[in-house]
Amino acid sequence: MKKRTPAAFLLLSAHRFISLRIRTRLFLLSLALCLALTACTPAANSPQAMPPGIGPAEDAPRNTAKAAETGTGSALSPAPSTVQQVPPPSALPAPAPTPAPAVVPPAEAKTQKKLKSKSKQPVAKPSKETSGQSQRLSLSQLVRKYPELLLLRGSVASGQVALTFDDAPDTTFTPQVLDVLKKYEVRATFFLVGAQAEKHPEMVKRIVREGHVIGNHSYSHKLFTKLSDDLFQSQVLQTQQTLKRLIGYSPRLLRPPYGEISESQLLWASEHGYRIVNWNVDSLDWKQLGQEKVVSNILTNVKPGSIILQHSGGGPGQDLNGTVKALPTVIQTLKSRNLKIVTLPELLQVSRQLD
């Protein structure tokens, strides 16, 4: 064995010492690196360690879409997402996958679109015509509001009743009615249609000659409430001109066809001196009823002050024989009840003509 010199021994010792320190430092450095890597890497079973598309984070959008398909959820209320574990401050958290938007079923989407479009539609304002119709007073409301302008009956204390006949004249039923009235010496009130009066002027003159009173029943039997005020006035004034030419005076009494009139028309007529007269006992003879039914409709409802509605003229083919045959029984029964049959001017205490 070769004997080492002191210098060689020292050199060998120094080399071993340096090698030991280097290995120690390398070991410590490796140990520190392992510890650092361990701290940075999340646990294998944590949500962050799971790759995207696997585990609870994926279930959130799936549950949301299913809820939308079954109607248990919507885009306004998506299914709750899974709570994730918060990583240490020193670690960088892995970004969670973004939940997919909830799928809205076609039916629900269509409904939402319809509701949205409806909400944007402007509120329609009522037209003037609709507003006017909604504010139009009914006949009963007009009677309550203007009891002195729209008359239905006379005084109960008078002990009188009035027979009135609409839609005259014609050459079929008007002569028969006049014959019955003449036989029983009864005077009545006839509301004439202007166009009919022009066709049968001799019948108009006979009505006046036998002591009956004539009233205005429009020119062509139009429903006044369907006419403008100008057309309404034309219907009244044209009939007035015809009647004045035939009978020598302008009638004060005015009866609207079907008894219907608007508030503005009523006020205009009243301002021009007309007395609007309807009835409170309807024979319903215009339904072409038989004699017995016409008699019953009148006598069952009549009382002192009553204004009785009948017809002595009708449309083409209308049968008013029930009225003609019922009239003798009606007259005799009214007289037996001590009810005096008079004209409307007598019952209402008004003049028959305009001043």
Side-chain angles (χ1 to χ4, degrees), residues 19 51 64 79-80 94 229 249 294 354-355:
S19 298
T64 303
D229 286 352
Y249 68 88
V294 173
L354 293 173
D355 298 332

Side-chain angles (χ1 to χ4, degrees), residues 34 122 203:
C34 291
M203 194 58 61

Side-chain angles (χ1 to χ4, degrees), residues 31-319:
L31 181 61
L33 183 60
C34 291
L35 291 175
L37 292 174
T38 304
C40 293
T41 304
N45 61 349
S46 67
Q48 290 83 355
M50 298 180 184
I54 301 177
E58 185 188 13
D59 291 341
R62 288 184 180 178
N63 293 339
T64 303
K66 182 178 181 181
E69 291 174 357
T70 57
T72 58
S74 67
L76 299 177
S77 56
S81 61
T82 306
V83 178
Q84 298 180 350
Q85 182 178 355
V86 180
S90 60
L92 296 175
T98 304
V103 179
V104 180
E108 184 177 344
K110 186 176 181 181
T111 302
Q112 291 178 357
K113 184 176 181 182
K114 184 181 293 184
L115 292 174
K116 186 175 180 181
S117 63
K118 284 185 177 181
S119 63
K120 292 183 179 180
Q121 292 178 353
V123 179
K125 295 182 180 181
S127 63
K128 292 183 179 180
E129 182 178 356
T130 304
S131 176
Q133 290 178 353
S134 63
Q135 296 176 0
R136 178 175 293 162
L137 297 180
S138 67
L139 186 61
S140 59
Q141 290 173 325
L142 285 174
V143 171
R144 288 193 297 269
K145 187 173 181 179
Y146 304 104
E148 300 300 322
L149 302 184
L150 184 53
L151 305 177
L152 304 181
R153 64 182 64 84
S155 171
V156 175
S158 67
Q160 299 172 333
V161 295
L163 294 177
T164 66
F165 297 89
D166 284 7
D167 300 348
D170 70 2
T171 56
T172 303
F173 300 106
T174 301
Q176 297 182 65
V177 169
L178 288 173
D179 290 343
V180 175
L181 295 176
K182 185 176 182 179
K183 177 180 179 180
Y184 290 95
E185 298 181 345
V186 169
R187 291 192 176 100
T189 304
F190 288 80
F191 285 95
L192 306 188
V193 176
Q196 289 294 104
E198 291 178 352
K199 290 180 180 179
H200 310 290
E202 292 303 319
M203 194 58 61
V204 175
K205 294 176 180 179
R206 178 185 170 184
I207 293 172
V208 174
R209 187 169 59 249
E210 295 183 1
H212 305 290
V213 173
I214 288 179
N216 188 324
H217 196 45
S218 82
Y219 185 79
S220 56
H221 209 270
K222 298 289 186 181
L223 180 61
F224 284 169
T225 53
K226 295 294 185 181
L227 302 180
S228 67
D229 286 352
D230 288 341
L231 290 177
F232 153 75
Q233 294 170 20
S234 176
Q235 285 276 322
V236 173
L237 296 176
Q238 190 173 358
T239 303
Q240 289 292 87
Q241 293 174 359
T242 298
L243 295 179
K244 185 174 183 179
R245 185 177 69 253
L246 294 175
I247 66 178
Y249 68 88
S250 297
R252 180 182 296 275
L253 303 178
L254 172 63
R255 174 171 287 173
Y258 314 101
E260 295 288 339
I261 192 170
S262 71
E263 184 175 16
S264 60
Q265 295 166 355
L266 173 64
L267 294 176
W268 177 89
S270 299
E271 290 171 358
H272 287 77
Y274 297 96
R275 299 308 302 267
I276 295 83
V277 185
N278 277 350
W279 60 88
N280 67 336
V281 176
D282 192 351
S283 67
L284 299 177
D285 58 350
W286 55 271
K287 293 184 176 182
Q288 306 182 80
L289 302 177
Q291 172 185 350
E292 294 182 359
K293 189 60 178 176
V294 173
V295 170
S296 175
N297 289 341
I298 295 174
L299 298 181
T300 301
N301 299 290
V302 73
K303 58 186 66 175
S306 288
I307 298 175
I308 302 167
L309 170 64
Q310 295 175 270
H311 293 77
S312 64
Q318 189 173 18
D319 185 3

Side-chain angles (χ1 to χ4, degrees), residues 176 180 290-292 294-295 319-330:
Q176 297 182 65
V180 175
Q291 172 185 350
E292 294 182 359
V294 173
V295 170
D319 185 3
L320 295 175
N321 280 305
T323 281
V324 175
K325 295 177 180 179
L327 195 53
T329 302
V330 169

